Amino acid sequence: MPTAREALLNAALTALAGLPWSAVRMVDVASAASVSRQTLYNEFGSKDGLARALVRREADSYLKGVDRVLAERAGDAEQLVRLAEWTVAEARSRPLLRALLTGCWHERLPAPRPVARSAGGSGVPAQRRADAGHPAPGELVTAVRDRSLAALEPGTGRRTDEGEAEAAERCELAVRLALSCVVAGPAEGVGRLVRTALSGPGWRAAGR
């Protein structure tokens, strides 16, 4: 059974499927989650706080999914192909994730405003983690690259510095090719695109 916080975030996400964020009412979110409006404000402080937490959860969910995909051992290049294909498929079905990955927000989505800092910090403890805001696309690319690099050869210490740098470039290239397909498509060709880019000596030029 979800906690009140999770139930509220789920209710907000469900409401967002049919309404622009500006039309989503806090009282309706609380009612859909079967909690009081006071509970909603205790958890998030404001509608902006709810937006921050909703977007932060989407980013966390994506990175957990990245870890699951990378845990499916399939050889370095094929794992990166699978990760690129999964990223594109998820971004196509999850508007919040697409906005996070591309930085393209629109009026239907809860693009959260930066929190106003004060000497005393947030008065809502549950908000503290979300107060930092959501990661920028470049930060997500870096996070996915680092996760990929760790998963492909975890803790062996076999790579030279040059090999480590090359592996990191390959991981980042796969992620950036996936994002290019999220933005401009064709989404169906991302696996072939990444596989081709990583398969030969010309892969460095593909990342430039």
Side-chain angles (χ1 to χ4, degrees), residues 13 21 30 37 45 61 66 69 91 105 108 170 199:
L13 189 61
W21 183 246
R37 187 167 57 171
S61 176
V66 166
V69 173
W105 297 87
R108 290 192 63 87
R170 287 168 65 86
S199 64

Side-chain angles (χ1 to χ4, degrees), residues 14-97:
T14 298
L16 191 61
L19 294 170
W21 183 246
S22 60
V24 174
R25 301 194 308 162
M26 296 285 270
V27 64
D28 294 333
V29 171
S31 177
S34 300
V35 301
S36 68
R37 187 167 57 171
Q38 186 59 52
T39 297
L40 173 54
Y41 281 100
N42 288 345
E43 285 289 342
F44 303 107
S46 65
K47 192 175 180 181
D48 279 345
L50 175 61
R52 285 191 294 275
L54 190 62
V55 176
R56 181 74 245 183
R57 185 179 73 161
E58 190 71 4
D60 289 346
S61 176
Y62 170 64
L63 292 176
K64 288 177 183 175
V66 166
D67 290 338
R68 287 194 299 271
V69 173
L70 291 171
E72 300 169 1
R73 302 299 298 176
D76 287 9
E78 197 57 31
Q79 273 184 278
L80 293 174
V81 169
R82 289 184 181 183
L83 177 59
E85 291 176 332
W86 177 83
T87 292
V88 173
E90 290 296 298
R92 291 182 72 185
S93 63
R94 294 160 56 181
L96 269 182
L97 177 59

